[in-house]
Amino acid sequence: MQSRVIILADLDYFFAQCEELRNSALRGKPVVVGMYSGRTEDSGAVSTSNYEAREHGVKSGIPLFLAKKRLEGTDAVFLPVDYDYYQQISDKIMQVLRGYADAFEQVGIDEAYLDVTMRTSGDFEAAKALVQEMKRAVKSQVGVTFSAGIAPNKLVAKIASDIQKPDGVTTVLPGEVKGFLAPLQVSRLLGVGKKTSAKMEALGIKTIGDLAGYDPQRLIELFGKTLGVYFHNAANGVDNDIVQEAGEAESISRISTLKENTRDIAAITEKTNQQIEEISQELAQRDVSFKQVGIIAIMTDLTARSRMQTLEQPTRDLETLRRVARELFEKFLGDSTLEVRRVGVKVSQFTKEEKQQRQLTSFFQNG
Ligand code: DCP
Ligand code: CA
Ligand code: CA
């Protein structure tokens, strides 16, 4: 399978840039947007600041009184957070960006992932040109700049977007992923906070490269299965998470009525195999694999029952789906005495497989 082309666009110094947008007299001056707690005149924290203010060590999260002190003697402007206004600007920008994506996923108020694999035919040079076009469009239609990362997956695109700011672009080609990540601090990875990075440092793991080379079995012992597997995959630049609109269907399912009420597994699987045929086509269209299979049965008394199974590995194999659905129905019929009226099949937990990269799951299976 060819590599995906994923963009993460992150708006520059967003709240402060919005303030500059509505009042151009602010441009060139240090601008600090603060969350005032109201206890005293200066109590509260910095929400964000523009790059002029950052030169004085003023950044998100520091106390406002400290920001005041650091900006003493400058023509700095302090403003309170106006969330509704930033939301309006964000909505406009997201609408523009959405037009450039095969699939679009907004994250928070100032970031969005774009899957542009199809429209660029998987070509990263085309993606770079596309980002320049997006930048021009957002600048001319809304008046705001953003920085972007272009990479084979969301994890790397996000980290790349942080490298050149403001108004920058960083591209990481599929073959460059490991080398790009290796020298970076582990704290760049989502989920590695102060506590975790301290724990890792005590183990001699400082960089993402250190983490990538660390024994995965040991990581699981230290951090548990879920986190251990995630850390290993993330450090190796493996991330199959798909770009998906929040609220977009995260499952594919079919349900239909049987010719007659029955407890006959052959009659049931005849119906579900038709459904599975359709589900399989949709999986191919969306280019996703699934990890979870569910069945549903509506009984003659109209109660609904469901059963679910999570697979060892994601798959899109038709035979596997047929087999698992059949097994679930066989078990289910053993648990009930009623006849079945309607049946359904559902697949969920979608991923996009990057076959060329070694997966921890297969790593364990092969020893
Ligand atoms: N924000 C906040 N408090 C924080 C961090 C962020 O209120 N501790 C708000 C203000 C930011 C917005 O969220 O403008 C987006 O956060 P980012 O982390 O993306 O930071 P900026 O967009 O401000 O700056 P950058 O140019 O580094 O992306
Ligand atoms: Ca930002
Ligand atoms: Ca952000």
Side-chain angles (χ1 to χ4, degrees):
M1 188 171 108
Q2 74 164 1
S3 167
R4 290 183 291 155
V5 184
I6 308 295
I7 298 167
L8 185 276
D10 181 295
L11 305 171
D12 296 320
Y13 62 103
F14 184 52
F15 291 6
Q17 196 179 180
C18 289
E19 295 296 347
E20 290 182 0
L21 185 66
R22 69 170 155 193
N23 179 4
S24 60
L26 296 176
R27 289 192 193 272
K29 298 178 182 172
V31 175
V32 181
V33 177
M35 187 68 83
Y36 291 84
S37 67
R39 215 167 40 80
T40 68
E41 199 190 329
D42 280 347
S43 62
V46 172
S47 231
T48 195
S49 57
N50 66 1
Y51 281 75
E52 286 81 353
R54 291 182 197 191
E55 277 170 26
H56 297 266
V58 172
K59 54 178 187 178
S60 295
I62 72 166
L64 279 167
F65 74 84
L66 185 59
K68 281 242 158 88
K69 211 166 113 191
R70 290 188 175 163
L71 289 166
E72 228 162 338
T74 72
D75 53 354
V77 178
F78 285 75
L79 295 162
V81 170
D82 179 356
Y83 201 82
D84 289 346
Y85 170 63
Y86 312 145
Q87 189 66 60
Q88 281 175 29
I89 305 293
S90 167
D91 289 348
K92 277 192 205 166
I93 297 166
M94 294 301 165
Q95 210 177 333
V96 175
L97 293 180
R98 194 181 297 269
Y100 290 87
D102 306 336
F104 185 81
E105 177 180 347
Q106 186 179 341
V107 181
I109 195 170
D110 91 324
E111 287 174 34
Y113 289 100
L114 293 85
D115 188 324
V116 298
T117 312
M118 280 192 285
R119 68 185 57 209
T120 60
S121 308
D123 178 13
F124 280 75
E125 283 305 316
K128 280 190 209 173
L130 193 69
V131 166
Q132 293 310 331
E133 213 177 302
M134 287 160 54
K135 280 174 171 291
R136 278 193 294 275
V138 171
K139 186 74 197 173
S140 70
Q141 292 174 46
V142 190
V144 165
T145 65
F146 66 87
S147 298
I150 309 175
N153 59 50
K154 289 163 80 172
L155 174 115
V156 180
K158 166 78 180 161
I159 296 173
S161 75
D162 237 9
I163 301 293
Q164 293 182 70
K165 279 170 154 288
D167 205 11
V169 188
T170 300
T171 305
V172 183
L173 301 176
E176 298 170 349
V177 166
K178 289 196 74 158
F180 166 74
L181 293 175
L184 303 176
Q185 300 295 303
V186 285
S187 57
R188 293 266 191 166
L189 294 174
L190 199 72
V192 181
K194 274 194 184 131
K195 252 177 79 177
T196 306
S197 60
K199 187 169 166 182
M200 286 182 178
E201 189 163 349
L203 299 163
I205 304 169
K206 278 185 138 168
T207 65
I208 298 180
D210 297 336
L211 185 60
Y214 207 78
D215 176 18
Q217 193 58 59
R218 188 85 186 99
L219 284 178
I220 288 173
E221 285 161 21
L222 288 159
F223 296 99
K225 175 104 189 263
T226 307
L227 268 183
V229 169
Y230 163 71
F231 287 148
H232 177 79
N233 284 336
N236 283 283
V238 176
D239 169 31
N240 294 320
D241 195 21
I242 62 177
V243 175
Q244 181 166 247
E245 191 82 49
E248 187 180 312
E250 291 176 21
S251 64
I252 301 174
S253 62
R254 290 289 183 278
I255 184 161
S256 41
T257 305
L258 294 161
K259 267 184 268 175
E260 51 190 13
N261 299 343
T262 186
R263 292 182 48 77
D264 176 19
I265 187 74
I268 289 173
T269 48
E270 191 195 329
K271 182 60 81 181
T272 54
N273 282 346
Q274 292 166 11
Q275 297 171 335
I276 285 168
E277 203 78 44
E278 289 179 26
I279 289 171
S280 171
Q281 281 170 17
E282 205 174 319
L283 286 166
Q285 270 166 22
R286 287 169 63 170
D287 195 26
V288 289
S289 300
F290 59 87
K291 210 176 161 210
Q292 205 161 56
V293 180
I295 58 148
I296 187 165
I298 315 285
M299 316 307 285
T300 41
D301 66 355
L302 298 185
T303 55
R305 320 281 171 86
S306 59
R307 294 285 185 278
M308 191 129 80
Q309 186 175 325
T310 303
L311 309 176
E312 283 289 308
Q313 284 193 70
T315 180
R316 63 169 68 169
D317 179 48
L318 192 66
E319 281 312 315
T320 306
L321 182 51
R322 284 193 183 130
R323 178 177 51 76
V324 174
R326 186 192 170 97
E327 285 168 5
L328 286 171
F329 270 110
E330 279 170 346
K331 267 193 232 150
F332 166 76
L333 288 171
D335 297 342
S336 169
T337 55
L338 288 167
E339 290 195 313
V340 182
R341 184 184 162 96
R342 282 162 70 74
V343 291
V345 177
K346 172 163 114 175
V347 294
S348 53
Q349 283 197 15
F350 295 150
T351 55
K352 295 227 176 192
E353 289 298 283
E354 288 175 38
K355 297 263 160 49
Q356 72 276 25
Q357 277 168 312
R358 190 184 64 172
Q359 300 274 303
L360 190 58
T361 40
S362 55
F363 173 85
F364 277 112
Q365 282 192 345
N366 303 335

